[in-house]
Amino acid sequence: MVNAVWGNIFGSPREKKVIIETLGQLPAFEGLSKNDLAQVERVTHERRYKAGEPVFDEKMPGAGMYIVLSGEVVIEKLIGDDNKIELATVGEKCFFGELALIDEMPRSAGARAKIDSVLLAFCKPDLENLLEHNPGLAARIVRNVAKMICRRLVETNNRMEALETRISTLSHKEK
Amino acid sequence: MRNSSSHKVVKVLYFIAVAAVIVAIAYSFKILAVPVLLALILKLLLDPVVAWFESRGMKRMNVLIGLSLSATLVLVVLGAIFIPAILRECKNIVSNLPVYKQSFIAAAGQLHDSALKLMPGVSVPDFQAMLTERLSKPGGFKMETLFHYLPDVFEIFMTIALVPIITFFFLADGHLINKFLMSLVPNTYFEMSVLLVNRVLTQIRQYIRGQMLDAAYVGLCMTIGLLLTHTHYAIVLGILSGLGNLIPYVGPSLGLVAAALLMLLSPEGLTNITPLLWLGFCVFLTHFTEIHFVYPIVVGNSVDLHPLVVILGVVVGGTLAGIVGMLLAVPIMGIAKVSFETVHSYLKSYSII
């Protein structure tokens, strides 16, 4: 009833249920109850980006992570002054920028919408509010994010190892 | 390119028009300003309580309904205990006003006689005659007119009725307002706005919570102290001291001055000064413990406003909205100062200014 009144004035364009379902499928919100997911949904922000529009720039203070509801986002890194290399492309129901949830350090890479995209932002201040008022829920999210960061770290280490092996093989061949 | 810049102009004009409409509505419904502000303050104070219950697995709407029912029950019980006492005290003050008026005139007469004795031969104006003439002249100053500065009954009733309703909706769907406002921010400034708004709100929340706890401490201590010392109108004076404490420099002395005046002007006021000494001790003890123990904990690094800014703010607040304006002037200035300082430092860190 209340939502019906306010929904007409401030109504969000995407159905709340769909967002809650999407959140439930993400590893960052694994093991959260429907009530917990509803609390997370309340603090998320839906953002629309046109193709080519930056989501955030490298080296700027990070506010939080983004979940791709539709579209594609490119993660890119600046090499030198002008050259940008694409590190990854993030598709639907995937997320990026999760490091900013833990620390307000400058972004290690930039993000740009590849095509018209709809993203869901979950920001650090909201996670901090949850930590203060609902530590149980916040702890579960932080643990999930930490797990994801660990997994990505292992992946990066494996890649580094593979690259080092390749470089040493190439240098042996050259000798 | 031209299309995009014309879009920007249209956007800016649109937002100016929306802002103008909001200001016009707010101005037309000045009566709503106080309830909305009080509801916002209550929302900031109650948010952690609602979140605590939610963290125990309760649904937000159930928590809000439970909270509303409990708050109503507590208010009814407290109202049943305190409202008759407050009304009785107010009624007594009003019915005793003629007595106070006579005491005031008599005190002026005593002052005149003492002055004549001290300075024989010097022409001393007859204070008593002057006061009698001024207080009895039609259209002249009457002590009863002091009550005209209080907000009228309709305003009080509207505020009491509206505040809980607005607070309920703010608590239930405040996130939708927040989402709506953030959706108006262009993508380029989204992250910066999220961090900035959060920092400002955290500061405001701490400031309001601290001030409220501090005022509640002073109000409670003064009421208990005055009741223990059998001072007349203890509850009204205690509430006045607590509310007055929201105004720095002026506030803490408000309760003391009002209580001292009521004591001095009572029939036995000038002959028995024991209650006055008890009052002084009570005020000293309350403010000593408040300044040294309570304030540093609950308010901490609060907003330090310059005394001149406080006085000018209180005068402007009083002129615009009477006693309510005087009480809200300093918190509003405090919020404005906290917001400005945070925004300024943040924009600097983003190299925008």
Side-chain angles (χ1 to χ4, degrees):
Chain A
M1 175 65 188
V2 176
N3 281 327
V5 176
W6 288 98
N8 285 328
I9 308 168
F10 303 109
S12 96
R14 199 169 287 262
E15 281 296 318
K16 194 176 158 182
K17 263 191 174 178
V18 178
I19 293 177
I20 290 177
E21 273 172 22
T22 311
L23 288 173
Q25 291 164 11
L26 295 170
F29 305 110
E30 214 176 69
L32 265 59
S33 68
K34 264 196 172 177
N35 196 25
D36 290 340
L37 289 170
Q39 283 187 59
V40 175
E41 186 277 334
R42 261 206 309 271
V43 294
T44 54
H45 299 274
E46 196 177 305
R47 310 292 303 176
R48 287 164 188 277
Y49 295 85
K50 291 225 165 82
E53 192 180 351
V55 179
F56 53 74
D57 291 320
E58 193 182 330
K59 290 174 187 165
M60 290 308 279
M65 72 175 229
Y66 292 86
I67 297 137
V68 183
L69 293 177
S70 68
E72 272 181 6
V73 173
V74 173
I75 309 297
E76 51 194 14
K77 192 151 180 66
L78 208 63
I79 305 289
D81 284 341
D82 281 330
N83 277 344
K84 276 181 181 175
I85 55 157
E86 285 190 12
L87 298 176
T89 301
V90 185
E92 220 167 281
K93 289 185 182 170
C94 292
F95 56 89
F96 58 94
E98 68 278 5
L99 285 180
L101 278 182
I102 309 295
D103 192 16
E104 207 177 293
M105 60 186 184
R107 296 276 191 189
S108 57
R112 184 175 44 82
K114 198 171 184 179
I115 52 175
D116 285 0
S117 306
V118 182
L119 310 180
L120 199 64
F122 177 57
C123 300
K124 186 174 174 269
D126 299 313
L127 179 64
E128 281 171 350
N129 279 341
L130 281 178
L131 262 173
E132 196 182 330
H133 304 306
N134 195 347
L137 169 60
R140 280 200 291 278
I141 297 173
V142 171
R143 194 184 55 196
N144 288 341
V145 171
K147 268 189 197 169
M148 279 152 31
I149 294 172
C150 284
R151 255 177 245 156
R152 286 187 181 176
L153 193 66
V154 171
E155 274 172 31
T156 312
N157 282 343
N158 290 343
R159 270 192 200 176
M160 286 274 290
E161 219 177 285
L163 273 173
E164 272 176 12
T165 320
R166 224 174 131 188
I167 289 167
S168 64
T169 319
L170 282 172
S171 58
H172 276 298
K173 272 185 185 174
E174 268 181 20
K175 277 176 191 172
Chain B
M1 188 70 188
R2 182 186 275 180
N3 195 20
S4 135
S5 63
S6 67
H7 272 184
K8 272 185 183 168
V9 172
V10 172
K11 258 188 184 175
V12 170
L13 286 175
Y14 167 73
F15 285 125
I16 291 173
V18 170
V21 170
I22 291 170
V23 170
I25 292 170
Y27 187 76
S28 320
F29 296 96
K30 261 199 305 191
I31 195 165
L32 291 179
V34 173
V36 168
L37 199 71
L38 289 175
L40 272 175
I41 291 173
L42 270 178
K43 182 215 175 315
L44 286 175
L45 294 172
L46 290 174
D47 259 339
V49 182
V50 178
W52 187 84
F53 281 109
E54 268 191 306
S55 72
R56 260 97 194 132
M58 288 176 77
K59 283 197 170 175
R60 195 173 180 86
M61 195 44 78
N62 295 343
V63 175
L64 290 177
I65 292 169
L67 208 64
S68 308
L69 292 175
S70 327
T72 313
L73 193 72
V74 170
L75 284 177
V76 167
V77 172
L78 286 180
I81 298 168
F82 288 107
I83 288 179
I86 295 170
L87 286 177
R88 202 167 42 242
E89 286 189 0
C90 288
K91 213 172 153 187
N92 281 345
I93 296 175
V94 174
S95 61
N96 281 334
L97 278 177
V99 179
Y100 293 136
K101 200 197 286 185
Q102 285 311 314
S103 306
F104 196 37
I105 292 169
Q110 281 177 4
L111 186 70
H112 179 245
D113 294 343
S114 313
L116 277 179
K117 273 182 200 161
L118 273 171
M119 301 173 283
V122 178
S123 149
V124 179
D126 189 352
F127 303 125
Q128 196 172 15
M130 280 163 67
L131 262 176
T132 314
E133 191 199 336
R134 227 173 132 75
L135 290 174
S136 56
K137 203 165 74 179
F141 174 79
K142 284 189 171 61
M143 289 183 93
E144 290 84 344
T145 55
L146 284 173
F147 285 87
H148 293 177
Y149 290 96
L150 292 170
D152 66 34
V153 179
F154 176 69
E155 256 178 65
I156 294 172
F157 177 75
M158 281 295 284
T159 307
I160 290 171
L162 282 174
V163 168
I165 298 168
I166 302 174
T167 310
F168 181 86
F169 277 96
F170 277 171
L171 282 167
D173 282 334
H175 65 286
L176 290 179
I177 303 172
N178 183 32
K179 281 186 179 195
F180 169 74
L181 292 174
M182 287 311 288
S183 74
L184 300 177
V185 176
N187 286 336
T188 322
Y189 300 112
F190 170 67
E191 291 216 328
M192 192 191 76
S193 308
V194 165
L195 297 173
L196 189 56
V197 166
N198 175 70
R199 211 167 271 192
V200 171
L201 281 180
T202 307
Q203 291 283 336
I204 291 173
R205 207 176 287 139
Q206 280 171 358
Y207 173 72
I208 291 174
R209 224 175 275 171
Q211 292 291 341
M212 290 292 163
L213 283 172
D214 195 45
Y217 173 79
V218 171
L220 199 68
C221 281
M222 284 292 287
T223 308
I224 293 171
L226 294 173
L227 279 172
L228 287 177
T229 54
H230 305 291
T231 308
H232 292 306
Y233 322 120
I235 301 172
V236 171
L237 290 173
I239 293 171
L240 192 71
S241 304
L243 287 175
N245 208 58
L246 292 171
I247 311 171
Y249 310 110
V250 189
S253 44
L254 207 69
L256 173 70
V257 171
L261 265 177
L262 283 174
M263 281 179 182
L264 283 172
L265 294 176
S266 64
E268 72 278 11
L270 290 168
T271 48
N272 182 14
I273 61 158
T274 320
L276 206 63
L277 289 174
W278 274 118
L279 172 74
F281 178 68
C282 193
V283 170
F284 168 76
L285 201 66
T286 302
H287 288 291
F288 181 82
T289 49
E290 184 238 339
I291 289 166
H292 289 93
F293 306 110
V294 181
Y295 195 88
I297 297 168
V298 299
V299 184
N301 299 326
S302 156
V303 195
D304 291 322
L305 292 166
H306 192 275
L308 184 66
V309 176
V310 170
I311 292 163
L312 293 179
V314 170
V315 171
V316 172
T319 316
L320 289 175
I323 282 183
V324 177
M326 286 170 84
L327 286 173
L328 291 179
V330 175
I332 288 172
M333 284 193 299
I335 289 168
K337 195 188 174 206
V338 166
S339 309
F340 175 75
E341 280 175 354
T342 315
V343 170
H344 187 78
S345 70
Y346 217 77
L347 292 181
K348 262 194 159 179
S349 74
Y350 266 88
S351 309
I352 289 175
I353 52 169

